[in-house]
Amino acid sequence: MKYVVLLGRILFSSIFILRAFAHFSEKAMSHATNAGLPMASVLVPLGGILLLIGGLSILLGYKARWGAWLLIIFLVPTTLAMHKFWNVTANYSSTMEQLCFLKNISLIGASLMITYFGSGPLSLDKSRH
């Protein structure tokens, strides 16, 4: 079962690590600006840093509880600011925003579980004890 937890950490962290680099692009900052995010040129790259550090922390199982909190700090405001499906009138766009909103809610839930349970076996935290 310890390999299942490791596989879960790998799969969970992959979305954050892979998407972190996109937060340094002009396209991402422009999208956030168009969505009404103030100071997007600062906040979007900062979000990328949170994603990368939090994702790597969970992947490696090093201070995973702290890494999960970093992801929560990113996910809560991003979910509320960027995925306002209730304001979208186009049916397809509204559905896509709702799916992104719910995906982020699920990611917040999983991150909260990591803040409680930690990284589990086969992690750098466990190897230090």
Side-chain angles (χ1 to χ4, degrees), residues 30-105:
S30 176
H31 176 68
T33 300
N34 291 339
L37 183 71
M39 299 183 349
S41 63
V42 173
L43 293 176
V44 173
L46 178 61
I49 292 168
L50 292 174
L51 291 177
L52 186 60
I53 294 171
L56 287 172
S57 169
I58 290 169
L59 173 67
L60 300 172
Y62 179 73
K63 306 281 185 190
R65 286 183 166 103
W66 285 101
W69 280 115
L70 291 176
L71 297 179
I72 292 166
I73 289 167
F74 168 82
L75 285 166
V76 170
T78 300
T79 302
L80 296 172
M82 298 299 295
H83 302 297
K84 302 179 210 173
F85 65 91
W86 52 89
N87 287 342
V88 180
T89 56
N91 198 22
Y92 177 77
S93 295
S94 175
T95 300
M96 290 307 297
E97 289 301 332
Q98 187 174 22
L99 286 172
C100 289
F101 182 91
L102 293 172
K103 172 201 49 105
N104 283 8
I105 295 297

